[in-house]
Amino acid sequence: MYSASVALNARSKSAALTEKQKSKIAVGILSGLVYIHQQGVVHSDIKSANILLTESLVPKICDFGVSVLRKAVSEHTGSVSQGVTVLGITERYAAPEAKQLHMVTSKSDVYSAAFVLWELWTMQLLERVQDTAELLQHAAPRG
């Protein structure tokens, strides 16, 4: 079944969303992330361009090109929590361990999702943030 969709980062530029719509999208993104992690998949490249929105604003996580199966991670390293080496991540959204060591876990996806949610809520594309204090400064109300 075909469904017209647009990437979240493109949708954010084109039309304002209500708080209720943003909340629905955020819950959908996080629910999708929980689902793929329950299936044993680490996406490894969660970013707003990899979240498609249907016409009814249902988010769909896409582009599993650099994703990994945790079972494969476990067999490779002996431990799921140690992560696996991946290439092709988007640094702006990547967790520190993913940027520095190219190692990812499901926690890396959650870290990346936080930036996506920040973009969704503020309706701004995230510029490279050096630290949490800088992000909070960007997120603070102006005026």
Side-chain angles (χ1 to χ4, degrees):
M1 177 180 195
Y2 172 76
S3 175
S5 300
V6 63
L8 178 60
N9 61 346
R11 174 74 168 94
S12 296
K13 295 176 198 171
S14 65
L17 297 168
T18 66
E19 286 188 17
K20 185 175 181 178
Q21 290 171 320
K22 291 177 187 181
S23 296
K24 175 185 174 185
I25 294 166
V27 168
I29 291 168
L30 296 175
S31 296
L33 203 54
V34 166
Y35 177 79
I36 65 172
H37 290 164
Q38 287 173 337
Q39 304 311 304
V41 175
V42 177
H43 187 281
S44 308
D45 197 25
I46 296 291
K47 58 185 177 181
S48 54
N50 287 343
I51 308 292
L52 299 180
L53 292 176
T54 66
E55 290 177 359
S56 58
L57 300 180
V58 175
K60 306 288 183 177
I61 298 172
C62 67
D63 192 359
F64 287 80
V66 294
S67 64
V68 293
L69 291 174
R70 285 192 309 205
K71 182 177 181 185
V73 173
S74 180
E75 290 171 359
H76 177 70
T77 66
S79 170
V80 172
S81 63
Q82 288 181 332
V84 69
T85 303
V86 292
L87 300 173
I89 60 173
T90 305
E91 290 220 3
R92 180 171 39 174
Y93 297 86
E97 68 276 10
K99 284 191 257 191
Q100 295 166 1
L101 306 173
H102 297 282
M103 299 292 286
V104 295
T105 67
S106 57
K107 292 176 185 179
S108 307
D109 282 350
V110 173
Y111 183 95
S112 299
F115 287 109
V116 171
L117 297 179
W118 184 88
E119 286 184 331
L120 170 66
W121 210 258
T122 64
M123 301 301 284
Q124 299 176 42
L125 294 179
L126 185 68
E127 298 298 323
R128 177 171 255 138
V129 174
Q130 298 300 320
D131 59 33
T132 306
E134 188 177 338
L135 175 62
L136 293 175
Q137 186 178 26
H138 285 288
R142 298 171 196 243

